[in-house]
Amino acid sequence: MAWNYTPLGGSRFRFSRYNLVLATAIISTIAAIVLFLLRDGHRRTVDRFPFSTLPPSTCDAAISPPASSEIPNLVHYVWLTRDPSLFTLDFRAFLTVYSAHLFLRPTAIYIHTDASPSALVSPQLDLWTRRILAIPGVKPNYISAPSHTTAGVPLDRIEHKSDIIRLQALRDFGGLYLDFDAIPLRDVAPLRTAGFGAVLGPVTAVSVWQSGMLNNGVMLSRPHSAFIEIYYEAYQRFFTGEWDRASVVLLTDLAMRVAAVPRAVLLVEARAFAPFSWEVFDMNRLYGFLLGRPDDRDGGARVSAEMPGGLEEGTCGDAMAWLREREKGMGAKGKGEEVDLSNTYVMHAFDANLGAFYGLFSPRLDIDLAYVMRRESNFARAVWPAVRHAIEAGLLPEVKVGG
């Protein structure tokens, strides 16, 4: 079927079903783009918070001066359960906790959890959970997960309960909070001892509205710092149940404002804490087998317990040699991009989109010990020094991998 249309004073135009479908698709695409841009603009300019209801920027005068300008060398994780009788961690959790123990040398590593105390000593604990609990300094801390904010808004999602618990931990004890998919690659002591009350970093932007947005998956703070006190109160007051309103937009707006207070907040650039985004194309860059097997000389820096930063390699003297090697390999075909993580303190290896990544790149990619030992991806090479240290210490078995 086709429709004939003759404009006034014009020639006849044949409007076929195909043309109708094509025109509809084009119009729908344009409309989607416009709506997306309007959404971004709304998020960036309209969806803000009434700061007149918050304490003034001179609030730091009302907070007790810190006994020390350093952020305590403590590490905090939060692990909430759907069944308090079960406490189960996995290999990826081992990677971050062991790396924190190895590179940061903290006074303690707290895992704040609502799992029952009996679950933590159950003989049914799986292998990786037992290995994690055996790492020196690891201390499970039983907490009762909040059900509502102080303003009475229900906390239905585990993620939002975790948001509040991490703020409570930093407010009461200070230290470094890490998501379980955030893996330390080197000591954060230069940031802890810089004299700032809190240290935050942005995500790697993948859309307009995310540009410059901060991330709460890696945060440092002194106990009762000006920023953490205000953010804790503001989160409780302004949380509405939306996924990112309080944990992203409020965090960003508030940190930018409190940064006007001298030495209250240090904002680092994205690669310091989040060199990769959570989008599928970055999942490929991070987890995909792109690089080929390294030889023994390219297997990752060795770890030295005597070195303050933990790694024997990565000095200023090898920068030019590294650049020469990189330039030689730039034209090699079939080799993926090896991402330089020299300026990364913590690699937030977002795993939210791993399901989509698995669906696009078959067969299923298992992030296990054998995967790391192959050292053919950016993720594997980044965590390999800590894994090798654990193997040499007899804490992990050495798994043979194919050639």
Side-chain angles (χ1 to χ4, degrees):
M1 178 183 294
W3 294 269
N4 293 326
Y5 169 65
T6 305
L8 293 176
S11 60
R12 183 178 297 269
F13 174 69
R14 186 173 178 80
F15 199 66
S16 68
R17 185 186 300 274
Y18 172 78
N19 289 335
L20 179 62
V21 172
L22 180 60
T24 302
I26 293 174
I27 293 172
S28 299
T29 302
I30 294 174
I33 294 173
V34 170
L35 289 174
F36 176 78
L37 293 176
L38 289 175
R39 169 186 176 274
D40 274 8
H42 172 73
R43 285 307 253 303
R44 295 291 289 139
T45 60
V46 179
D47 193 15
R48 296 308 191 190
F49 294 87
F51 284 111
S52 60
T53 65
L54 290 176
S57 62
T58 55
C59 63
D60 56 321
I63 298 173
S64 301
S68 170
S69 62
E70 293 188 5
I71 293 172
N73 194 11
L74 300 172
V75 177
H76 302 276
Y77 296 94
V78 176
W79 187 259
L80 300 182
T81 66
R82 302 191 185 280
D83 181 354
S85 66
L86 299 176
F87 183 71
T88 302
L89 300 173
D90 56 15
F91 171 66
R92 296 199 60 177
F94 177 87
L95 288 178
T96 178
V97 177
Y98 190 78
S99 296
H101 155 71
L102 181 64
F103 296 127
L104 309 183
R105 303 174 188 178
T107 305
I109 301 174
Y110 291 103
I111 301 178
H112 305 280
T113 181
D114 60 350
S116 64
S118 60
L120 300 174
V121 295
S122 169
Q124 305 301 319
L125 286 176
D126 62 85
L127 179 60
W128 286 113
T129 305
R130 294 200 306 271
R131 284 172 172 167
I132 292 169
L133 295 179
I135 295 173
V138 170
K139 298 181 179 181
N141 179 44
Y142 174 77
I143 49 91
S144 179
S147 60
H148 294 75
T149 66
T150 55
V153 178
L155 296 166
D156 297 325
R157 301 184 62 161
I158 283 180
E159 295 86 349
H160 291 142
K161 296 177 182 181
S162 173
D163 284 346
I164 290 180
I165 294 169
R166 72 189 66 178
L167 295 181
Q168 289 175 330
L170 292 178
R171 181 172 174 245
D172 295 342
F173 303 105
L176 167 66
Y177 168 79
L178 294 171
D179 277 354
F180 269 99
D181 56 3
I183 304 172
L185 301 185
R186 54 186 41 81
D187 197 354
V188 299
L191 303 179
R192 289 194 305 101
T193 61
F196 287 82
V199 183
L200 303 167
V203 296
T204 296
V206 292
S207 71
V208 175
W209 88 269
Q210 289 168 346
S211 180
M213 288 293 183
L214 301 180
N215 179 254
N216 70 351
V218 181
M219 298 187 293
L220 295 96
S221 177
R222 284 197 302 254
H224 303 289
S225 70
F227 170 77
I228 208 68
E229 287 284 352
I230 304 174
Y231 185 36
Y232 178 76
E233 178 185 344
Y235 192 106
Q236 302 268 8
R237 185 179 301 185
F238 293 119
F239 176 79
T240 61
E242 295 178 58
W243 166 242
D244 57 4
R245 179 173 171 81
S247 59
V248 178
V249 181
L250 173 60
L251 170 67
T252 303
D253 287 351
L254 188 58
M256 298 299 181
R257 190 172 184 89
V258 177
V261 178
R263 307 189 79 79
V265 178
L266 172 63
L267 301 176
V268 298
E269 59 100 17
R271 291 176 68 95
F273 294 159
F276 299 92
S277 74
W278 54 75
E279 293 297 331
V280 173
F281 76 92
D282 254 358
M283 296 293 98
N284 187 34
R285 292 175 65 226
L286 178 59
Y287 294 106
F289 292 115
L290 304 175
L291 305 179
R293 181 73 60 82
D295 58 29
D296 291 338
R297 295 167 298 153
D298 189 28
R302 288 191 174 273
V303 177
S304 170
E306 291 75 30
M307 298 282 292
L311 298 181
E312 293 179 354
E313 302 177 50
T315 63
C316 296
D318 68 0
M320 188 62 72
W322 174 85
L323 285 172
R324 281 195 294 267
E325 290 298 316
R326 181 176 175 84
E327 289 300 308
K328 285 194 302 184
M330 289 295 281
K333 293 183 178 180
K335 186 175 183 180
E337 176 192 0
E338 184 167 6
V339 178
D340 179 22
L341 300 174
S342 298
N343 63 340
T344 299
Y345 287 94
V346 177
M347 180 179 67
H348 200 160
F350 297 102
D351 57 11
N353 269 343
L354 273 178
F357 177 73
Y358 291 147
L360 291 176
F361 303 91
S362 297
R364 177 182 172 88
L365 182 64
D366 291 317
I367 310 300
D368 55 15
L369 185 56
Y371 165 86
V372 171
M373 294 190 67
R374 288 180 65 175
R375 289 169 283 151
E376 294 181 353
S377 69
N378 281 300
F379 179 89
R381 292 195 186 181
V383 303
W384 170 241
V387 169
R388 176 162 59 186
H389 186 276
I391 291 173
E392 293 174 349
L395 302 176
L396 292 179
E398 186 166 3
V399 177
K400 291 186 179 296
V401 294

